[in-house]
Amino acid sequence: MTSPLNRTGIAKTLRTIVWCASFIGVGVNVQAGDDIGLRMADSVIPEREQVPVPLPDTGETCGLTLEQLEQMALSSNPSLQRAAALVGAAQGNWVQVGLAPNPSVGYEGQQLGSGGLAEQHGVLFSQEIVRGGKLQLNRAVAGTERMRLEQELGAQQQRVLTDVRVAYYEVLLAQRQIDLTENLIRISGEGSHAVDALYRAKEVGRSDVLQAQLEIENAQILAQNARNRYESAWHSLSAVIGNPMIARQELLGDAAAPPREFDFDQALGRLLALSPEMAAASMSVERARAAIERERAEPIPNVTVQGLVNWQDNGIGGKPDGGLAVSIPIPVFNRNQGGVARAQQELVAASRAVTQLELDLQNRLAPTFERYSNARNQVTRYRDVILPAAEESLSLTRKTYTAGEASYNSLLIAQRTYSQTQLGYLDAVRSLRIAEVQIDGLLLSGSLESAPSGAANPAINAGIQTEPVGAIGLVPQ
């Protein structure tokens, strides 16, 4: 049974432990804004709530420009918020892996059943001292990982912009296709009226009347397909900008603007120089180099210092005493040979990944540039030669048919040729704009298809003690 004197000694010891813990900062919360080195660039701090960019009220006809859609997407697309959060997590990891281990403090009691003859009550202290610059090397590795994720964030921003631009042109051209198919319905209707007049004059047969009605039905089908395409394109656009409930409205812009000039070698050089994918791969190489240095420092042993202050030692008449122990592991068997070898091979893999990415970018650019070249040639020939000829052919054939100098088959062929050339021109413009956007956007697209690569790696703290260090071996026997 513990005596009142012993209970008093224990109480004093516990009060001492609490005072020491409060003195070294145990339980102190770090508030936001405290100077702990945790700082992120404003461009990568995730917002708590994203508010769509308001459109300027000009009092004029409502319409959205490409620039407004891009700003809305950059503000609301969740993939960007996720990528920014990963950068913030990497910044937090950079802070954490550079922090020194906490000291530990505890109560020590020995010979408690000796009836007060040999009881010992004291306070334990211990601290691990990290050597070899491991903490600084930890932050070097974590810092390069954070920079890699910043490049991934830049790549995701470009993916969003590319997707917005592609969807913008899809909607814009769908609007044009609706106008075109409605014009085709009008042309088919005019042809049908002309056939009806000739049929009443008994200059054509019933088959011509039926064929004219079929042409109107085909034009109606094309018109409905155009409206369906517009709905689909608008749904894609609203998803990419992060606002699925946005009201449908006119998009402002000219999808039929002159083609842009691209040269393959220049486009490839720009791609290799500016691609955030290349920058992220280069950061992976730097991270691998920093990891080698960290693994090489791992065998440098940390020093653990442990102290014991006995508040009361009845074995020596109740006087205080103490003890001190300093320990250091000896790297005899484990010198982190495997860790160094692994880090070296990871550097080789990261370096080869850069070369692989360079070839992959060229491989991805080749078919995109082919589509651009083909579409540019088609658009130019449609605009300069085919469309004017088809329109003139239709006009002349209608006049000769009305005058009874041409058969209905000739008029039908002219109408179908006009319809096919107009629709073919829009398809060529669509392919051209998408290829231009992809080349200009560094071949980055698909912002909603998959999560951006580069999830934050676990904290790099191998060999660093982060839990309280025990005091085994300090207790007097």
Side-chain angles (χ1 to χ4, degrees):
M1 183 174 181
T2 306
S3 64
L5 179 60
N6 294 338
R7 290 195 298 269
T8 302
I10 294 174
K12 290 181 179 180
T13 302
L14 292 177
R15 285 197 298 271
T16 303
I17 293 174
V18 172
W19 177 84
C20 293
S22 63
F23 180 76
I24 64 176
V26 175
V28 178
N29 294 325
V30 179
Q31 302 296 327
D34 288 352
D35 187 12
I36 61 173
L38 179 58
R39 179 173 177 81
M40 289 180 285
D42 294 338
S43 61
V44 298
I45 298 179
E47 298 289 343
R48 290 186 178 180
E49 181 179 359
Q50 299 294 336
V51 180
V53 177
L55 302 179
D57 185 10
T58 60
E60 300 177 354
T61 303
C62 181
L64 289 174
T65 65
L66 176 59
E67 291 75 16
Q68 289 172 328
L69 292 171
E70 290 175 348
Q71 291 303 316
M72 294 169 66
L74 293 176
S75 173
S76 302
N77 190 291
S79 67
L80 294 180
Q81 300 166 22
R82 179 183 185 277
L86 290 177
V87 174
Q91 176 68 14
N93 183 56
W94 178 87
V95 173
Q96 183 61 37
V97 298
L99 299 178
N102 290 325
S104 63
V105 60
Y107 162 75
E108 173 268 331
Q110 287 290 319
Q111 308 298 335
L112 298 181
S114 63
L117 299 178
E119 291 185 0
Q120 299 172 343
H121 304 281
V123 180
L124 302 173
F125 299 93
S126 65
Q127 175 67 57
E128 183 180 14
I129 301 174
V130 181
R131 300 175 61 243
K134 297 188 186 74
L135 299 180
Q136 293 81 357
L137 292 172
N138 283 348
R139 285 193 169 174
V141 176
T144 54
E145 176 64 12
R146 179 196 60 199
M147 289 187 287
R148 187 188 70 81
L149 289 174
E150 288 173 350
Q151 294 298 327
E152 291 287 353
L153 173 59
Q156 191 63 20
Q157 289 174 338
Q158 187 58 63
R159 290 187 185 96
V160 170
L161 292 176
T162 299
D163 289 348
V164 170
R165 292 164 186 170
V166 169
Y168 165 79
Y169 283 117
E170 289 282 5
V171 174
L172 205 59
L173 289 167
Q175 293 176 173
R176 286 282 302 272
Q177 188 169 350
I178 291 175
D179 296 338
L180 171 61
T181 54
E182 290 177 351
N183 185 46
L184 294 178
I185 293 175
R186 180 186 61 80
I187 292 174
S188 299
E190 292 175 353
S192 178
H193 291 321
V195 172
D196 288 340
L198 293 174
Y199 177 71
R200 287 191 298 268
K202 298 183 178 181
E203 296 182 11
V204 297
R206 175 67 177 169
S207 61
D208 290 343
V209 175
L210 294 175
Q211 189 65 49
Q213 293 175 354
L214 291 176
E215 287 301 305
I216 294 177
E217 290 299 323
N218 288 331
Q220 293 284 1
I221 291 176
L222 292 177
Q224 185 60 48
N225 290 345
R227 288 189 287 270
N228 292 340
R229 170 169 283 187
Y230 176 83
E231 289 294 320
S232 175
W234 187 267
H235 286 311
S236 296
L237 176 62
S238 63
V240 171
I241 65 176
N243 187 4
M245 305 306 296
I246 186 172
R248 289 165 178 75
Q249 51 193 296
E250 181 184 2
L251 298 188
L252 306 179
D254 182 14
R260 297 181 58 182
E261 294 286 346
F262 286 111
D263 176 77
F264 182 84
D265 292 334
Q266 292 179 354
L268 179 59
R270 174 178 175 272
L271 181 60
L272 296 178
L274 301 181
S275 173
E277 290 181 285
M278 288 295 300
S282 298
M283 284 296 101
S284 294
V285 174
E286 295 303 318
R287 183 190 182 282
R289 289 197 178 101
I292 291 177
E293 297 301 318
R294 174 61 182 86
E295 296 294 344
R296 287 173 177 168
E298 180 63 23
I300 301 176
N302 298 339
V303 177
T304 301
V305 179
Q306 299 173 313
L308 169 65
V309 176
N310 279 327
W311 181 274
Q312 173 185 342
D313 188 348
N314 291 343
I316 56 173
K319 298 179 180 180
D321 61 4
L324 177 66
V326 178
S327 63
I328 183 171
I330 302 175
V332 177
F333 306 109
N334 180 4
R335 297 185 297 277
N336 202 35
Q337 304 95 315
V340 173
R342 182 195 66 234
Q344 290 173 338
Q345 293 305 310
E346 288 176 350
L347 174 59
V348 173
S351 301
R352 296 299 178 268
V354 173
T355 304
Q356 178 182 347
L357 180 59
E358 291 176 351
L359 298 176
D360 179 58
L361 290 176
Q362 180 175 340
N363 186 49
R364 287 154 52 188
L365 178 61
T368 304
F369 198 86
E370 179 188 5
R371 291 192 297 270
Y372 157 77
S373 301
N374 292 341
R376 185 174 184 273
N377 176 63
Q378 291 172 2
V379 168
T380 302
R381 294 190 66 83
Y382 269 115
R383 185 186 58 202
D384 297 343
V385 179
I386 299 176
L387 290 180
E391 186 173 356
E392 183 179 3
S393 174
L394 177 61
S395 178
L396 292 175
T397 305
R398 290 175 63 185
K399 291 179 181 179
T400 56
Y401 178 76
T402 304
E405 299 175 0
S407 65
Y408 182 71
N409 285 336
S410 298
L411 177 61
L412 186 60
I413 292 173
Q415 287 181 347
R416 288 178 177 176
T417 300
Y418 178 82
S419 172
Q420 291 170 359
T421 54
Q422 291 289 340
L423 294 175
Y425 173 68
L426 286 185
D427 286 339
V429 171
R430 181 180 295 106
S431 298
L432 175 65
R433 294 305 173 214
I434 292 176
E436 288 177 342
V437 167
Q438 289 175 340
I439 294 174
D440 190 59
L442 304 172
L443 304 182
L444 292 168
S445 61
S447 60
L448 296 179
E449 293 179 2
S450 60
S453 61
N457 290 336
I460 304 164
N461 56 3
I464 298 179
Q465 185 78 26
T466 56
E467 297 297 329
V469 182
I472 299 175
L474 284 180
V475 180
Q477 301 298 323

